[in-house]
Amino acid sequence: MARPCYKPSHGERASKGGGIMTASPIISILNGPNLNMLGSRQPELYGHETLADIEALCRTHAARLGLAVEFHQSNHEGDLVTWIQETRKRAAGIVINAGAYTHTSVALLDALLAAEVPAVEVHLSNIHQRDSFRHHSYVAKAAKGMICGFGSHGYVLALDALARLIKGSSQT
Ligand code: DQA
């Protein structure tokens, strides 16, 4: 007899016996160049927290929301493109602070447009109060929305927004 075909969605995986196991949906949190310097980098703009502090904050908050987190940082554009491509297969959403690549990278825009999962753009600083070259974001063209100016709390707000979007899409 033919087995019913069921494709596990994000947050689900097939068990050995063919049943469906529910796991927490994965959110891929991506950080671009120079964000590894947080804590010592222009603290008057970016605050005193390190990227490790922000990762811990995200993990704690995501757990409250029933989400799992993969947290990455790279100074190389191609690494970010590869991680975005990988989310397509494994993650339910993306939080991205692309750092300076926000303002320059068509490659990141194209990867996000192909990702087929919602992305929320985050910036620690309010980029609209800064140099005019920071006012334009390529990432914004592919993101559901942008949060900027709230420091590390922006990552928490982005996770809240994604949790809502993911819940909404599973109820349709
Ligand atoms: C940033 C803003 C960008 O303009 C800048 O290049 C960064 C950090 C932010 O989080 O405020 O590296 O993305």
Side-chain angles (χ1 to χ4, degrees), residues 33-35 41 46 97-100 102-103 122-127 130 134:
N34 299 307
L35 292 168
R41 174 192 181 197
Y46 299 120
N97 181 351
T102 304
H103 318 297
V122 170
H123 299 285
L124 297 156
S125 62
N126 183 344
I127 56 173
R130 299 184 59 195
R134 294 182 204 274

Side-chain angles (χ1 to χ4, degrees), residues 71-127:
F71 198 93
H72 298 287
Q73 187 276 333
S74 178
N75 295 328
H76 304 280
E77 191 175 12
D79 289 340
L80 296 161
V81 169
T82 300
W83 287 323
I84 293 168
Q85 289 178 359
E86 285 172 358
T87 61
R88 229 182 136 175
K89 290 169 250 155
R90 301 162 1 85
I94 298 170
V95 174
I96 182 162
N97 181 351
Y101 289 140
T102 304
H103 318 297
T104 62
S105 180
V106 177
L108 284 185
L109 168 60
D110 285 350
L112 287 166
L113 288 172
E116 293 179 354
V117 294
V120 178
E121 176 177 4
V122 170
H123 299 285
L124 297 156
S125 62
N126 183 344
I127 56 173

